[in-house]
Structure formats: structure tokens, C-alpha cells
């Protein structure tokens, strides 16, 4: 990993601790965000596995992962609808 990215990550963590005033709250927020991102990626992966048989594919990139992690299953269905009706 690039050393600059590590320094930026540590600085972002320190800034979050100063903003939220509690290391426990910061770690809980980061943990919740990581879990939601993981679930979003899994939703997209399983959609691509099962949707591939009917010709649907949603690329896994930053935008689609953010949409699926914030909106959950509704986000994945919205991305599928965009793929079907717009693209």
C-alpha cells in the first residue's frame, strides 16, 4: 500500500476522533460503515451471479457500492431498473 494513503487514513481517523469527541463512537461509526459496504458488495455480487443467467449485470465500482450500501436491497433493484430501462 502506498505510504501516502496510510498517512491520509491515519489523519482522517484522528480528525474523526476530534469531531466526534469519543474514540468509541468513531470506531462504532467506522465499523458500521464497513459492515454496510461489505453487505452492499455482497448484494451486488449475488445479483451478478444470479442475474447473469438472464442477461443482467451491474458493474461493481465505487458508485454502485455506495448506492447499494446506503440504500440496501432497494438500491440494488434501482440499479437493475436503471440498467434495464435506461441503458
Amino acid at each position: 500500500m502506498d505510504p501516502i494513503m496510510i498517512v491520509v487514513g491515519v489523519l482522517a481517523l484522528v480528525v474523526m476522533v476530534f469531531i466526534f469527541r469519543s474514540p468509541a463512537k468513531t470506531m462504532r461509526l467506522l465499523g458500521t460503515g464497513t459492515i454496510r459496504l461489505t453487505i452492499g458488495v455482497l448484494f451486488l455480487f449475488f445479483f451478478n451471479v444470479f442475474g447473469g443467467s438472464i442477461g443482467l449485470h451491474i458493474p461493481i465500482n465505487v458508485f454502485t457500492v455506495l448506492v447499494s450500501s446506503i440504500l440496501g436491497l432497494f438500491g440494488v433493484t434501482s440499479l437493475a431498473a436503471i440498467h434495464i430501462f435506461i441503458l
Side-chain angles (χ1 to χ4, degrees), residues 1-80:
M1 187 181 263
D2 193 25
I4 294 173
M5 293 302 292
I6 294 173
V7 171
V8 168
V10 169
L11 286 175
L13 185 63
V14 169
V15 168
M16 286 182 69
V17 168
F18 283 133
I19 289 174
F20 293 118
R21 305 274 188 215
S22 171
K25 188 173 181 181
T26 302
M27 290 300 137
R28 185 175 48 231
L29 182 67
L30 287 175
T32 304
T34 303
I35 290 170
R36 289 185 67 95
L37 283 173
T38 304
I39 291 171
V41 168
L42 287 174
F43 276 162
L44 287 173
F45 173 75
F46 285 119
F47 179 82
N48 285 334
V49 167
F50 297 119
S53 62
I54 58 173
L56 289 176
H57 172 75
I58 299 173
I60 298 176
N61 56 31
V62 174
F63 175 73
T64 57
V65 168
L66 285 176
V67 168
S68 66
S69 65
I70 292 171
L71 298 177
L73 196 55
F74 178 71
V76 175
T77 56
S78 297
L79 289 169

